Amino acid sequence: MLLSLPALHLQTSEHHPLLQLPHGRLGPWCSPTGSPAPLSCETGCGEGSWILVCRLLVPTQVSLLSMEEDIDTRKINNSFLRDHSYATEADIISTVEFNHTGELLATGDKGGRVVIFQREQESKNQVHRRGEYNVYSTFQSHEPEFDYLKSLEIEEKINKIRWLPQQNAAYFLLSTNDKTVKLWKVSERDKRPEGYNLKDEEGRLRDPATITTLRVPVLRPMDLMVEATPRRVFANAHTYHINSISVNSDYETYMSADDLRINLWNFEITNQSFNIVDIKPANMEELTEVITAAEFHPHHCNTFVYSSSKGTIRLCDMRASALCDRHTKFFEEPEDPSNRSFFSEIISSISDVKFSHSGRYIMTRDYLTVKVWDLNMENRPIETYQVHDYLRSKLCSLYENDCIFDKFECVWNGSDSVIMTGSYNNFFRMFDRNTKRDVTLEASRENSKPRAILKPRKVCVGGKRRKDEISVDSLDFSKKILHTAWHPSENIIAVAATNNLYIFQDKVN
């Protein structure tokens, strides 16, 4: 399906650079950025120290409605684990995000649903439950729509979820699909009013002639109920597909980015936004790159960064100009001519960009590597980590099955000392920035026994394969870890694999 662009006429081609790729992203672009030499790392980052806490399946609406309300949440999760056949395309997890305290974990799926998990409360008698999460709330965030003016179907898939800091007893989060951002309020209710004068106990209006006495309504205890209500709907501001949302550090504004523009919103104003970046050329034939990700600085409300499909990063300051088309800093690594290939422009596209918690560094993920940039050095990254360099010889087949266009995310741990990102065969990688060690772990259903220690996995590239190694030819490219999240203050991670959510923690002796 071609992307609907004004005055744009394209011939149908399977890999045309302006074809709309999976997940609604625009395609490959020419980039001068090549892949640097592999970084020498020895396995050992957290080796043998991560254990599986629990494996949760995103509950479908049918499963939830068919279960009785008084069933314990743990039993609900166990019933999901026994049945793997019901998973559909709509159940595939498309985003994962911890809130600022780490007590809640939200997931969004391709069916437009948001499922929130709550951390199990620790007790002296149940120390082994540290890090366990159970279903807290689930609601339908977005519905499928159809744009009749452009003859375009708008998917309900949740692209991103961002939490707002908790200010009171309620929780607030932003969720977005391709076109519309919504602000949700999630609150608890354990009391209900009783003793109305004009209504009976079932809520029906009473005949005023039968009312002879005046009653004072009272609040009665009830079973805890979690309610999710939409408070704001921010729509009709994006021509192209939204790929990022980011809450500003002033907690009054946030930005949403699509392929060619970035808009700034105020939480209290839904019918107006300010366009702060616009890279759309006057002639669409001159389009050379698109915006792939954007994020606000964690401490400075005037600074934000966005990445492009050319492998470049731009740092912008809103104090300099209302329209930030002119960047303040430009981060790009010179290309190594020896690594230039037909696929260089595709694999150099940045799929995710994240500020460190300190705000000093920027982390970017392209197809083969994770790079860490210092804000004070624009000409090259200070660290480069090879995620799956063994796939460099498989790029041709990955291009044919469209896997080369997969968008992997990357995350920091709470102290910015370890970074994590996903790979294929349900592998995910961790890199220790201090020791320069790395480890490959697997989130699979076969070894999903709770409290089981994860064994490091190794991929064999050559002909001889050891007993504990996996051949690169036997990797399953349909199993991929695209979305991950790290607890803001503890070593607890969440990894999404299709409709499964794996939660791991470091082993405590």
Side-chain angles (χ1 to χ4, degrees):
M1 181 177 68
L2 293 179
L3 183 67
S4 177
L5 297 175
L8 180 62
H9 304 282
L10 301 174
Q11 296 179 353
T12 302
S13 172
E14 184 179 0
H15 294 296
H16 194 287
L18 276 179
L19 273 177
Q20 190 173 341
L21 299 171
H23 312 306
R25 305 293 179 263
L26 294 179
W29 308 94
C30 182
S31 170
T33 305
S35 300
L39 183 69
S40 175
C41 297
E42 60 183 79
T43 304
C45 170
E47 183 171 342
S49 62
W50 289 90
I51 61 176
L52 173 68
V53 179
C54 55
R55 180 172 69 86
L56 307 168
L57 271 73
V58 171
T60 62
Q61 291 177 328
V62 176
S63 300
L64 283 178
L65 294 175
S66 62
M67 297 178 182
E68 305 199 8
E69 294 180 359
D70 57 351
I71 296 181
D72 183 71
T73 308
R74 187 176 304 281
K75 296 179 181 178
I76 294 178
N77 290 335
N78 291 336
S79 68
F80 291 150
L81 295 177
R82 289 193 296 268
D83 180 17
H84 309 306
S85 60
Y86 72 91
T88 63
E89 180 76 11
D91 298 321
I92 296 177
I93 299 175
S94 56
T95 184
V96 183
E97 187 78 9
F98 279 102
N99 73 337
H100 289 71
T101 62
E103 295 302 308
L104 297 180
L105 174 65
T107 66
D109 61 27
K110 291 188 175 182
R113 293 184 298 269
V114 173
V115 180
I116 301 176
F117 299 92
Q118 186 180 42
R119 188 176 184 180
E120 186 81 10
Q121 296 296 322
E122 293 185 39
S123 64
K124 295 181 179 179
N125 299 329
Q126 296 174 325
V127 181
H128 66 282
R129 286 190 177 183
R130 186 181 79 94
E132 287 194 20
Y133 286 76
N134 292 308
V135 176
Y136 177 68
S137 176
T138 177
F139 57 92
Q140 188 73 27
S141 175
H142 288 73
E143 300 283 353
E145 302 175 30
F146 190 82
D147 190 335
Y148 295 96
L149 295 177
K150 297 181 179 179
S151 297
L152 213 60
E153 185 178 357
I154 303 174
E155 295 182 357
E156 66 273 33
K157 180 176 81 82
I158 306 298
N159 291 337
K160 295 290 180 182
I161 290 176
R162 291 291 180 266
W163 290 91
L164 276 67
Q166 188 177 6
Q167 304 291 340
N168 48 40
Y171 303 96
F172 289 87
L173 61 87
L174 288 171
S175 64
T176 182
N177 65 350
D178 287 338
K179 299 291 183 180
T180 305
V181 183
K182 294 184 179 181
L183 175 65
W184 290 88
K185 176 184 178 182
V186 181
S187 56
E188 298 179 353
R189 185 155 61 93
D190 57 359
K191 293 182 176 62
R192 66 166 176 261
E194 290 184 358
Y196 286 105
N197 290 283
L198 302 179
K199 296 180 181 179
D200 58 19
E201 298 303 327
E202 297 181 0
R204 293 174 297 191
L205 291 175
R206 299 169 58 186
D207 184 0
T210 62
I211 302 175
T212 57
T213 58
L214 180 65
R215 295 190 295 179
V216 178
V218 295
L219 292 175
R220 301 290 186 190
M222 60 174 285
D223 293 336
L224 180 65
M225 179 183 297
V226 181
E227 298 177 321
T229 54
R231 299 303 301 269
R232 304 282 190 276
V233 177
F234 307 90
N236 305 319
H238 286 277
T239 306
Y240 311 100
H241 289 180
I242 299 173
N243 54 49
S244 303
I245 52 175
S246 180
V247 179
N248 202 348
S249 58
D250 60 10
Y251 305 132
E252 296 181 359
T253 58
Y254 77 93
M255 70 177 175
S256 56
D258 64 24
D259 298 307
L260 297 180
R261 296 186 178 98
I262 299 177
N263 293 334
L264 181 68
W265 299 83
N266 187 292
F267 281 110
E268 301 298 326
I269 303 173
T270 61
N271 59 354
Q272 186 180 31
S273 64
F274 296 93
N275 181 228
I276 55 177
V277 173
D278 187 351
I279 66 170
K280 180 181 177 182
N283 183 2
M284 286 299 294
E285 294 181 357
E286 300 174 359
L287 184 64
T288 59
E289 62 181 336
V290 294
I291 299 170
T292 56
E295 188 178 57
F296 268 119
H297 192 281
H299 309 304
H300 305 311
C301 62
N302 55 281
T303 307
F304 67 94
V305 67
Y306 70 92
S307 58
S308 79
S309 55
K310 273 191 172 182
T312 61
I313 310 106
R314 292 172 174 85
L315 183 74
C316 300
D317 191 337
M318 291 189 292
R319 296 173 299 182
S321 174
L323 187 61
C324 300
D325 287 348
R326 294 185 178 181
H327 49 267
T328 303
K329 291 189 176 183
F330 183 76
F331 301 86
E332 182 180 22
E333 185 176 24
E335 179 191 12
D336 184 356
S338 62
N339 288 329
R340 180 71 181 175
S341 70
F342 173 78
F343 304 104
S344 295
E345 60 190 47
I346 305 175
I347 64 176
S348 63
S349 176
I350 295 176
S351 58
D352 195 17
V353 58
K354 293 282 177 60
F355 271 106
S356 62
H357 295 85
S358 65
R360 171 70 185 274
Y361 304 102
I362 301 173
M363 174 171 56
T364 60
R365 170 70 203 266
D366 55 41
Y367 190 68
L368 294 178
T369 65
V370 174
K371 299 176 182 178
V372 178
W373 303 76
D374 192 315
L375 288 185
N376 297 325
M377 188 167 67
E378 305 174 44
N379 58 343
R380 61 182 177 87
I382 59 172
E383 301 166 21
T384 300
Y385 302 99
Q386 299 293 337
V387 179
H388 39 216
D389 197 54
Y390 47 79
L391 296 181
R392 195 175 293 274
S393 60
K394 301 287 184 181
L395 292 180
C396 186
S397 58
L398 292 169
Y399 179 83
E400 292 176 353
N401 61 19
D402 280 345
C403 285
I404 200 171
F405 303 114
D406 287 333
K407 308 298 182 184
F408 292 95
E409 298 177 0
C410 53
V411 292
W412 302 86
N413 72 335
S415 60
D416 299 332
S417 60
V418 181
I419 57 181
M420 176 177 62
T421 189
S423 182
Y424 293 104
N425 207 70
N426 279 359
F427 290 166
F428 59 97
R429 303 268 282 144
M430 290 184 179
F431 303 93
D432 192 313
R433 299 180 59 209
N434 297 324
T435 63
K436 301 303 179 185
R437 295 179 178 179
D438 69 277
V439 65
T440 301
L441 302 175
E442 181 181 6
S444 65
R445 187 178 297 166
E446 288 71 22
N447 55 9
S448 60
K449 184 178 180 181
R451 323 311 298 181
I453 298 178
L454 294 184
K455 296 181 179 180
R457 309 305 301 268
K458 296 180 181 180
V459 178
C460 172
V461 181
K464 294 183 179 181
R465 181 172 64 89
R466 297 181 181 178
K467 183 178 181 180
D468 58 340
E469 292 182 338
I470 300 175
S471 172
V472 66
D473 297 320
S474 62
L475 295 177
D476 189 347
F477 294 105
S478 64
K479 297 179 180 179
K480 59 194 75 172
I481 303 296
L482 301 177
H483 313 288
T484 57
W486 202 306
H487 191 285
S489 58
E490 299 183 33
N491 281 335
I492 299 176
I493 59 175
V495 175
T498 59
N499 67 316
N500 296 271
L501 180 66
Y502 296 86
I503 298 179
F504 305 98
Q505 69 178 40
D506 62 335
K507 184 181 178 183
V508 178
N509 297 325

